[in-house]
């Protein structure tokens, strides 16, 4: 039986499945392992099932024992893993696409609605019974007829586009390449960031975090947007230069932001907390029971597939 380390606690159903299929070392206290503890616990293991909280950088990967053949990430994003370093050591890295697209798209839409309709201010006022209805109280931005720019029209981006269309939004997108017409469903392709941002009344960031997308929202690109645009991020914090976005929010160039992901999670840049027009969530993209079970099961199956066939369809390096 292959031996695996699971770095974070999973839902019981998934831990039971892992224990049936492997000699699985579970983390019942859900402790956040330090680099040295993780290295120590992987001794003698064939695979490690990681979460987005595990920083699998080059140094960590180089210290893994030779027995490790797979890093199976419990996430669709894999910005926490140095893919090249893993490849150099002959370690396959896998992720969990598709199973979380619906749940994450729901949060993507929640961010758009929350930011545009001033949900943070509304929740605070309602909790404190500190409000009086009036014709101009907490007036927000209506979505009907506005242009939604989608940065990264993959599975999640396409699902957000479908829901947004039903809210009357007009969809624009930028991707590495133009999609086929059946995937576009009438969405308008832009071959540059500048072109997309300049027509985005609302932006939904859905692209993976890579060296190329790091700080794509920055001092320069934030100026491409129409005045009063809304920026939302359901992908990864590394795509946004926080200081540039906070500055644009403070001077009302950007009307509001909706954020589920951050650099240095869970420590948000305090500038976001000081600004009432920022609608924030604590990385809830895939946080539903069905989705978390499906993700964990896929992460476990990815390891099994690799050992049974020598490859895995969800291998990303
Ligand atoms: C992912 O899988 O990348 C999600 O962000 C997890 O919630």
């Amino acid at each position: 039986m292959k031996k695996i380390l699971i770095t974070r606690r999973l839902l019981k159903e998934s831990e039971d499945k892992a224990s049936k299929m492997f000699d699985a070392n579970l983390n019942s206290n859900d402790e956040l392992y330090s680099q040295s503890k993780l290295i120590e616990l992987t001794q003698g293991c064939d695979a490690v099932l990681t979460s987005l909280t595990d920083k699998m950088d080059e140094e960590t990967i180089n210290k893994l024992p030779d027995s490790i053949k797979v890093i199976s990430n419990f996430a669709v994003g894999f910005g926490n893993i140095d893919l090249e370093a893993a490849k150099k050591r002959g370690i396959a890295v896998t992720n969990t696409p598709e199973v979380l697209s619906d749940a994450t798209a729901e949060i993507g839409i929640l961010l758009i609605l929350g930011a545009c309709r001033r949900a943070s201010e509304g929740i605070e006022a309602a909790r404190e019974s500190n409000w009086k209805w009036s014709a101009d109280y907490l007036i927000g931005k209506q979505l009907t007829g506005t242009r939604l720019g989608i940065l990264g029209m993959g599975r999640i981006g396409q699902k957000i586009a479908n829901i947004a269309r039903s809210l009357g939004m007009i969809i624009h997108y930028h991707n590495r390449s133009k999609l086929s017409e059946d995937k576009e469903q009438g969405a308008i392709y832009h071959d540059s960031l500048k072109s997309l941002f300049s027509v985005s009344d609302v932006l939904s960031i859905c692209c993976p975090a890579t060296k190329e997308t790091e700080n794509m929202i920055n001092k320069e690109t934030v100026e491409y947007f129409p005045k009063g645009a809304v920026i939302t991020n359901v992908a990864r914090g590394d795509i946004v230069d926080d200081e540039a976005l906070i500055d644009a929010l403070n001077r009302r160039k950007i009307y509001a932001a909706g954020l589920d992901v951050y650099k240095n999670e869970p420590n948000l840049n305090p500038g976001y907390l000081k600004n009432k027009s920022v609608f924030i969530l604590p990385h809830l993209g895939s946080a539903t029971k069905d989705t978390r079970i499906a993700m964990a099961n896929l992460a476990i199956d990815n390891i099994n597939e690799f050992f049974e066939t020598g490859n895995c369809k969800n291998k990303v390096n």
Side-chain angles (χ1 to χ4, degrees):
M1 205 178 221
K2 297 287 183 194
K3 190 170 170 196
I4 69 169
L5 172 70
I6 302 183
T7 64
R8 298 294 306 272
R9 192 171 56 212
L10 303 175
L11 296 186
K12 187 176 177 316
E13 293 85 336
S14 308
E15 293 196 337
D16 289 349
K17 173 180 164 92
S19 301
K20 274 193 200 124
M21 291 169 68
F22 301 106
D23 174 3
N25 184 349
L26 307 175
N27 180 355
S28 49
N29 296 326
D30 205 23
E31 179 190 338
L32 280 178
Y33 294 146
S34 63
Q35 187 201 59
S36 56
K37 179 98 191 242
L38 188 136
I39 303 299
E40 182 194 320
L41 291 172
T42 50
Q43 299 306 313
C45 286
D46 302 286
V48 53
L49 194 152
T50 52
S51 289
L52 53 88
T53 50
D54 297 304
K55 196 164 172 244
M56 302 299 283
D57 56 11
E58 186 175 12
E59 190 191 324
T60 310
I61 287 175
N62 286 342
K63 288 183 176 164
L64 289 173
D66 291 340
S67 56
I68 292 283
K69 299 294 174 231
V70 187
I71 298 173
S72 173
N73 211 32
F74 173 52
V76 65
F78 39 81
N80 57 313
I81 304 175
D82 186 327
L83 298 185
E84 273 311 304
K87 196 170 184 172
K88 273 192 205 140
R89 290 217 51 206
I91 300 173
V93 178
T94 63
N95 72 341
T96 62
E98 286 175 31
V99 292
L100 46 61
S101 301
D102 286 328
T104 308
E106 287 175 6
I107 292 291
I109 292 291
L110 179 59
L111 295 177
I112 294 172
L113 287 166
C116 289
R117 299 303 299 272
R118 304 178 64 177
S120 296
E121 290 164 272
I123 291 167
E124 197 181 320
R127 280 190 183 283
E128 292 172 2
S129 299
N130 175 24
W131 57 283
K132 184 170 113 223
W133 186 93
S134 69
D136 62 355
Y137 179 60
L138 280 189
I139 293 279
K141 260 188 193 300
Q142 183 156 343
L143 302 182
T144 328
T146 58
R147 298 166 297 180
L148 173 64
I150 299 198
L151 178 58
M153 192 70 144
R155 298 177 195 91
I156 295 169
Q158 288 172 44
K159 285 190 187 276
I160 289 177
N162 284 342
I163 306 170
R165 226 176 258 119
S166 71
L167 296 171
M169 300 187 87
I170 300 147
I171 315 300
H172 294 252
Y173 75 99
H174 171 66
N175 229 21
R176 268 174 306 187
S177 49
K178 191 173 173 337
L179 298 182
S180 59
E181 272 178 25
D182 64 314
K183 285 191 173 153
E184 272 183 342
Q185 304 261 323
I188 301 152
Y189 178 65
H190 295 259
D191 62 4
S192 73
L193 276 189
K194 190 170 191 174
S195 169
L196 177 74
F197 291 176
S198 65
V199 297
S200 296
D201 301 313
V202 180
L203 181 78
S204 178
I205 302 174
C206 303
C207 59
T210 61
K211 286 196 179 79
E212 292 73 42
T213 62
E214 190 175 353
N215 290 331
M216 251 186 180
I217 303 293
N218 57 44
K219 245 181 163 32
E220 186 190 334
T221 58
V222 89
E223 296 308 321
Y224 299 160
F225 287 88
K227 182 163 170 50
V230 171
I231 295 181
T232 67
N233 187 2
V234 74
R236 284 292 182 268
D238 287 335
I239 300 161
V240 176
D241 172 347
D242 293 330
E243 294 301 334
L245 178 56
I246 291 164
D247 174 61
L249 284 159
N250 289 343
R251 58 190 166 82
R252 306 299 282 165
K253 161 77 188 180
I254 298 299
Y255 174 82
L259 307 172
D260 186 44
V261 288
Y262 310 88
K263 282 197 167 87
N264 304 320
E265 291 178 11
N267 303 309
L268 277 66
N269 186 312
Y272 288 129
L273 305 177
K274 289 186 201 137
N275 194 307
K276 288 188 170 172
S277 49
V278 184
F279 175 69
I280 50 174
L281 294 175
H283 204 145
L284 296 182
S286 60
T288 70
K289 188 174 179 195
D290 287 351
T291 294
R292 287 283 160 84
I293 290 174
M295 286 167 68
N297 290 353
L298 184 54
I300 294 162
D301 288 339
N302 283 341
I303 299 175
N304 194 44
E305 184 185 337
F306 183 84
F307 285 122
E308 287 205 332
T309 69
N311 209 339
C312 175
K313 64 178 178 311
N314 295 319
K315 182 169 173 287
V316 291
N317 70 335

